[in-house]
């Protein structure tokens, strides 16, 4: 069986950390940006952002051929700075939010799963992060 490895994806958003944090954690925003490519969508999102709180994002192919719940429990929540969670299968992920000069740098480090190539997983997570950047930079909220 393949070993899980840690992979990091990063991006900079041209927006203050408060706006980035809100869009990252608000279900009505999550359903608009949480997709790796246009053939997928997130029809529902639930988020209880606190230590011990749970989140669940339903991710589905738009053609209905496949879908899954991406879910976990928060281990650490530091407002506008850090979110760490454990996924349903025991893997962990941490996202760090760092504001500099009105822009926010995001870095998410996650444990890979063993079914898919780590590079494929990195591309998927990076694609979702890139969609997030586009979404935040296109909204005025």
């Amino acid at each position: 069986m393949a070993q899980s490895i840690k992979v990091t994806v990063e991006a900079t958003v041209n927006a203050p950390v408060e706006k980035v944090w809100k869009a990252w954690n608000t279900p009505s925003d999550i359903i608009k940006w949480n997709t790796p490519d246009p053939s997928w969508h997130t029809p529902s999102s639930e988020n209880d952002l606190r230590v011990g709180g749970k989140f669940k994002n339903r991710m589905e192919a738009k053609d209905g051929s496949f879908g899954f719940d991406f879910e976990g429990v928060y281990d650490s929540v530091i407002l506008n700075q850090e979110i760490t969670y454990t996924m349903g299968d025991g893997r962990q992920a941490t996202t760090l939010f760092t504001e500099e000069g009105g822009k926010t740098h995001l870095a998410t480090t996650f444990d890979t799963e063993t079914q898919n190539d780590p590079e494929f997983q990195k591309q998927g997570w990076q694609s979702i992060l890139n969609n997030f950047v586009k979404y935040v930079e296109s909204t005025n909220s």
Side-chain angles (χ1 to χ4, degrees):
M1 187 161 152
Q3 284 283 79
S4 176
I5 60 171
K6 290 196 178 299
V7 171
T8 300
V9 294
E10 300 178 78
T12 299
V13 187
N14 188 13
V17 70
E18 294 82 7
K19 179 179 180 179
V20 171
W21 180 270
K22 181 177 180 283
W24 189 262
N25 293 300
T26 303
S28 60
D29 289 313
I30 293 168
I31 61 173
K32 294 176 184 158
W33 61 259
N34 189 39
T35 176
D37 72 60
S39 69
W40 281 76
H41 67 150
T42 299
S44 65
S45 174
E46 301 167 25
N47 194 19
D48 182 10
L49 185 64
R50 62 182 172 82
V51 173
K54 296 178 181 176
F55 69 89
K56 179 165 78 172
N57 298 316
R58 179 69 189 169
M59 300 179 78
E60 294 180 355
K62 286 183 178 174
D63 68 6
S65 63
F66 187 74
F68 64 94
D69 290 332
F70 182 76
E71 56 191 325
V73 177
Y74 292 109
D75 303 312
S76 173
V77 177
I78 303 169
L79 182 65
N80 296 334
Q81 294 179 30
E82 176 187 328
I83 296 171
T84 299
Y85 58 87
T86 300
M87 295 171 248
D89 60 8
R91 296 180 297 132
Q92 277 197 311
T94 298
T95 300
L96 301 176
F97 300 74
T98 310
E99 185 176 13
E100 270 185 45
K103 294 184 178 186
T104 304
H105 181 77
L106 289 171
T108 298
T109 301
F110 65 96
D111 297 329
T112 58
E113 39 89 352
T114 55
Q115 305 299 312
N116 295 291
D117 180 70
E119 186 57 35
F120 176 77
Q121 294 176 66
K122 181 177 183 174
Q123 289 171 4
W125 284 59
Q126 185 69 56
S127 183
I128 291 170
L129 187 55
N130 294 346
N131 273 349
F132 174 76
V133 171
K134 282 186 224 152
Y135 172 74
V136 172
E137 292 181 351
S138 72
T139 61
N140 296 320
S141 55

